[in-house]
C-alpha cells in the first residue's frame, strides 16, 4: 500500500488540476491567465528595442505583434497598466525594459489626461504590482491562474448586464471586446474623475523632463493619443485641464515626436478602449508611422 501512495497522490492531483482547468474554460479570459499576464509584464527587464507605455488604453490598444509586421527584427513590449500615471518610478521602469545594447531604442508614450493625476500615483495597477512580494510574482509568472477557478472580473461584467472577453498575450497586449458594446460607458467616470481632480502641471513637466533626458541618452521618444469615442474625448478636453497644444509644443522642444495617427474610423467597445480588431488596425498604422520615421531597420546590437 505504501508503494501505491505516491501514485495515488499524483492521480488525485491530476484530477484536481483537471477539474480546475475545466472550470476555467467557462471564463471570459483566454490566452495567458490574467495573473500570469501581469506578473510577466511587470517583470520585463532589458529585453526590448521598443516599449509602449501608458494606461489600459495602451495595453488594450497597441499590439506588439501587429506592429512587428511593419517593424521586422525589433522586439516590442507593451508595458501599459490599468489607471497608470507617469510617476518617476513608472518612467524608471519603462526605461529598464529597453535593452541597453539595442542599436535603436524607442519609447512610445500613450497620453491621456488621467496619466497626470497626482491622486492616481498610489492607486494604479503598476504601483500595486510593484508592491507584490517577489515570491508571489515568481509563482504567478510560472503558474498564475492554475488555482484561480473563477474569473471575478468577467463575472462582475456579466452581473452588470454585459460580458467582457479578453485574450491576454505574452507581449503585453490584452485583446478585449464587450457584449453588448456601450460607447458611453466611461462618460460618468470621466465626469466624476475631473470633478475631483484636474491634470497636474508638475506631472506634465515630469514627462517633458524625462523625454529630454531620454533623448540625450539616444532613445527616440514618441507620444500619441489612443483613439476614444468622440464623447469621451470631448469631455476630457473640456473637464480635465489638459492643454494639448502646450504639451505638444513642450514635447517637441524636448526632442520628442508627436504621432498624429488617424483613428477616427475605429471603434471602442466602451468609449475608452479600442475593440480588439480595431486595436490591430490602429497598431498597424502606428507602426507605419514609426517605421517611416526610423528608416531602415537597424541590425545587430551595440557593443557593451
Amino acid at each position: 500500500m505504501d508503494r501505491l501512495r505516491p501514485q495515488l497522490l499524483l492521480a488525485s492531483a491530476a484530477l484536481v488540476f483537471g477539474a480546475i482547468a475545466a472550470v476555467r474554460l467557462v471564463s471570459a479570459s483566454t490566452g495567458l491567465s490574467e495573473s500570469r499576464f501581469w506578473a510577466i509584464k511587470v517583470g520585463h527587464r532589458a529585453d526590448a528595442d521598443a516599449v509602449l507605455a501608458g494606461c489600459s488604453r495602451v495595453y488594450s490598444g497597441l499590439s506588439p505583434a501587429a506592429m512587428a509586421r511593419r517593424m521586422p527584427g525589433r522586439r516590442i513590449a507593451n508595458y501599459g497598466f490599468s489607471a497608470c500615471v507617469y510617476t518617476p518610478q513608472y518612467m524608471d521602469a519603462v526605461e529598464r525594459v529597453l535593452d541597453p545594447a539595442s542599436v535603436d531604442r524607442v519609447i512610445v508614450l500613450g497620453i491621456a489626461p488621467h496619466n497626470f493625476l497626482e491622486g492616481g500615483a498610489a492607486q494604479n495597477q503598476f504601483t500595486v504590482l510593484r508592491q507584490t512580494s517577489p515570491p508571489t510574482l515568481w509563482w504567478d509568472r510560472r503558474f498564475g491562474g492554475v488555482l484561480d477557478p473563477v474569473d471575478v472580473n468577467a463575472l462582475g461584467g456579466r452581473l452588470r448586464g454585459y460580458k467582457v472577453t479578453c485574450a491576454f498575450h505574452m507581449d503585453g497586449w490584452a485583446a478585449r471586446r464587450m457584449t453588448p458594446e456601450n460607447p458611453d460607458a466611461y462618460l460618468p467616470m470621466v465626469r466624476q474623475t475631473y470633478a475631483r481632480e484636474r491634470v497636474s502641471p508638475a506631472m506634465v513637466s515630469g514627462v517633458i523632463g524625462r523625454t529630454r533626458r531620454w533623448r540625450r541618452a539616444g532613445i527616440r521618444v514618441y507620444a500619441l493619443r489612443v483613439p476614444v469615442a468622440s464623447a469621451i474625448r470631448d469631455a476630457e478636453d473640456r473637464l480635465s485641464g489638459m492643454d494639448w497644444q502646450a504639451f505638444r509644443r513642450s514635447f517637441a522642444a524636448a526632442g520628442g515626436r508627436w504621432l498624429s495617427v488617424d483613428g477616427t474610423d475605429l471603434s471602442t467597445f466602451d468609449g475608452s478602449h479600442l475593440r480588439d480588431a480595431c486595436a490591430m488596425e490602429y497598431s498597424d498604422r502606428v507602426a507605419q508611422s514609426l517605421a517611416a520615421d526610423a528608416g531602415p531597420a537597424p541590425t545587430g546590437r551595440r557593443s557593451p
Side-chain angles (χ1 to χ4, degrees), residues 95-163:
E95 185 174 345
R96 286 195 295 268
V97 176
L98 291 173
D99 183 350
S102 173
V103 297
D104 182 33
R105 295 175 296 164
V106 174
I107 292 174
V108 179
L109 304 173
I111 302 297
H114 56 255
N115 297 146
F116 305 107
L117 299 182
E118 291 180 346
Q123 301 176 7
N124 64 81
Q125 192 172 31
F126 171 76
T127 301
V128 170
L129 286 166
R130 289 261 297 175
Q131 295 170 348
T132 303
S133 69
T136 298
L137 290 174
W138 180 91
W139 172 270
D140 284 345
R141 277 194 294 272
R142 291 157 179 80
F143 310 110
V146 173
L147 299 178
D148 301 334
V150 177
D151 185 336
V152 177
N153 291 329
L155 178 61
R158 285 195 292 271
L159 291 175
R160 290 189 295 270
Y162 61 84
K163 177 182 178 182

Side-chain angles (χ1 to χ4, degrees), residues 3-267:
R3 293 180 180 177
L4 292 175
R5 187 167 298 165
Q7 289 91 332
L8 290 172
L9 289 173
L10 286 172
S12 299
L15 288 172
V16 170
F17 278 88
I20 291 172
V23 172
R24 285 201 61 82
L25 290 177
V26 305
S27 166
S29 300
T30 60
L32 295 177
S33 70
E34 186 169 4
S35 55
R36 188 172 179 224
F37 172 80
W38 292 116
I40 288 171
K41 176 177 287 204
V42 79
H44 276 300
R45 295 290 186 280
D47 58 3
D49 303 306
V51 57
L52 315 172
C55 62
S56 57
R57 293 179 184 175
V58 169
Y59 83 68
S60 290
L62 290 174
S63 162
M67 294 175 68
R69 298 169 191 167
R70 301 276 184 180
M71 304 168 66
R74 288 184 172 93
R75 299 165 296 168
I76 307 169
N78 186 315
Y79 201 65
F81 295 86
S82 294
C84 200
V85 296
Y86 283 115
T87 60
Q89 294 78 15
Y90 177 61
M91 290 187 286
D92 287 344
V94 167
E95 185 174 345
R96 286 195 295 268
V97 176
L98 291 173
D99 183 350
S102 173
V103 297
D104 182 33
R105 295 175 296 164
V106 174
I107 292 174
V108 179
L109 304 173
I111 302 297
H114 56 255
N115 297 146
F116 305 107
L117 299 182
E118 291 180 346
Q123 301 176 7
N124 64 81
Q125 192 172 31
F126 171 76
T127 301
V128 170
L129 286 166
R130 289 261 297 175
Q131 295 170 348
T132 303
S133 69
T136 298
L137 290 174
W138 180 91
W139 172 270
D140 284 345
R141 277 194 294 272
R142 291 157 179 80
F143 310 110
V146 173
L147 299 178
D148 301 334
V150 177
D151 185 336
V152 177
N153 291 329
L155 178 61
R158 285 195 292 271
L159 291 175
R160 290 189 295 270
Y162 61 84
K163 177 182 178 182
V164 177
T165 58
C166 186
F168 295 106
H169 294 260
M170 188 72 76
D171 58 17
W173 179 48
R176 298 199 289 170
R177 63 174 62 186
M178 185 169 79
T179 306
E181 293 186 348
N182 180 4
D184 295 326
Y186 264 74
L187 264 178
M189 185 179 299
V190 169
R191 292 167 179 154
Q192 292 166 15
T193 295
Y194 300 117
R196 295 191 303 266
E197 185 177 9
R198 289 164 67 86
V199 163
S200 163
M203 293 195 73
V204 173
S205 295
V207 168
I208 300 304
R210 188 62 65 108
T211 298
R212 188 174 294 110
R213 192 178 97 180
W214 283 332
R215 291 296 296 125
R216 286 198 296 263
I219 300 169
R220 291 192 290 122
V221 187
Y222 298 88
L224 51 78
R225 189 178 188 181
V226 178
V228 295
S230 58
I232 301 291
R233 184 185 182 100
D234 293 345
E236 288 182 343
D237 290 349
R238 187 174 67 256
L239 303 173
S240 70
M242 181 74 177
D243 187 335
W244 288 99
Q245 290 187 347
F247 177 86
R248 292 174 67 166
R249 285 196 302 269
S250 298
F251 185 67
R257 295 286 299 274
W258 182 267
L259 296 177
S260 297
V261 181
D262 182 38
T264 54
D265 60 325
L266 303 176
S267 300

